[in-house]
Amino acid sequence: GRGDNNVNASSSPVRIFTPNEANAIDYRRQRGDWLQAHIDDRKLSTEPIANLSLAGDCYMTFGNTKPQQPQSDRRKEYKMHLPRRGLQILTGPAR
């Protein structure tokens, strides 16, 4: 019900979960703002991770960071468009 901290997305791959963190960051292209490549800490940021772009379109680049992967797989990058007001949910290997 309302005020419940759990989110139920029964028609998606996202299971019932309790959010543990939220960040609101103001990136502005005019200032040259951007988010550097990083790996989210799996212990601190549990599944799923939700990205919401409120003010404008953005692109997120994903890559394989597992050192045991063949070199050719580690170099693959996937650029994903997140439109203004778009919501992206990351689970599983995408995390």
Side-chain angles (χ1 to χ4, degrees):
R2 291 180 187 223
D4 187 354
N5 288 333
N6 289 330
V7 175
N8 184 355
S10 59
S11 64
S12 76
V14 180
R15 67 192 183 296
I16 295 173
F17 72 99
T18 301
N20 68 338
E21 180 180 6
N23 297 300
I25 306 170
D26 182 12
Y27 292 108
R28 298 189 188 224
R29 284 190 196 111
Q30 301 90 333
R31 295 189 310 217
D33 295 346
W34 60 286
L35 181 62
Q36 293 183 7
H38 68 280
I39 299 171
D40 292 315
D41 186 321
R42 287 186 174 270
K43 291 179 183 175
L44 297 175
S45 301
T46 59
E47 279 194 30
I49 287 185
N51 295 307
L52 177 62
S53 181
L54 295 175
D57 292 3
C58 68
Y59 288 89
M60 299 183 75
T61 303
F62 297 92
N64 192 339
T65 60
K66 294 181 180 178
Q68 68 270 23
Q69 294 292 329
Q71 187 67 27
S72 60
D73 287 347
R74 279 187 280 172
R75 291 184 181 174
K76 288 182 183 176
E77 290 186 341
Y78 303 91
K79 192 172 186 177
M80 305 292 295
H81 177 239
L82 183 56
R84 178 177 178 240
R85 299 185 194 156
L87 175 65
Q88 176 188 67
I89 306 290
L90 301 175
T91 62
R95 269 277 286 106

